[in-house]
Amino acid sequence: MNAKNPGGEIGILLHLLDEAFDRKAWHGPNLYGAFRALSPSEAGARPGKGRHSIQELALHCAYWKYAVRRKLTGEKRGSFPLKGSNFFPRTGKDALESWPADLALLRNEHEKLRAVVAAFSPRKLRSRALASRSTWLRLVAGAAAHDIYHAGQVRLIRKLAGV
């Protein structure tokens, strides 16, 4: 164990975040792996009327990594690089052109969340998160579960679309 890979509960949380996002996992594809080899048009396709595209799901995941990080740091709302919250519509030519940047935003938000968790006080993990019924520990573990949920969703959309 070292500064890059701490032990204890913080180390376990970092492992969960990484395995859910981009490390080899026992449960199958992780979130970032679910996006592997998708073209911009495949990422932007909708599985049905009124449904979110894979690209919009990637941005949704980036936003919630930001939201958890913001809670952990006490940072004010409004610093996410895109206007809005939760889901960000991507349509037309702009969607095709922004797919690489959207993936980069997701990776960047993961790295920033990971850095905040690595520096978080282990003593605070079991206390209640600000304006929440959950503990800090549950909030961070939930961020990893959120990635796994959406990885499965993306894999299902890809299978149904034949990509």
Side-chain angles (χ1 to χ4, degrees), residues 9-10 72 116-127 136:
E9 290 175 315
I10 295 292
L72 289 165
V116 167
V117 171
F120 199 75
S121 168
R123 286 191 212 113
K124 284 180 61 177
L125 282 175
R126 297 196 180 272
S127 61
W136 297 107

Side-chain angles (χ1 to χ4, degrees), residues 13-35:
L13 288 171
L14 290 171
H15 177 81
L16 289 172
L17 287 169
D18 290 342
E19 190 173 276
F21 184 69
D22 67 353
R23 297 287 168 14
K24 186 173 175 68
W26 69 268
H27 54 75
N30 52 50
L31 182 64
Y32 207 76
F35 302 126

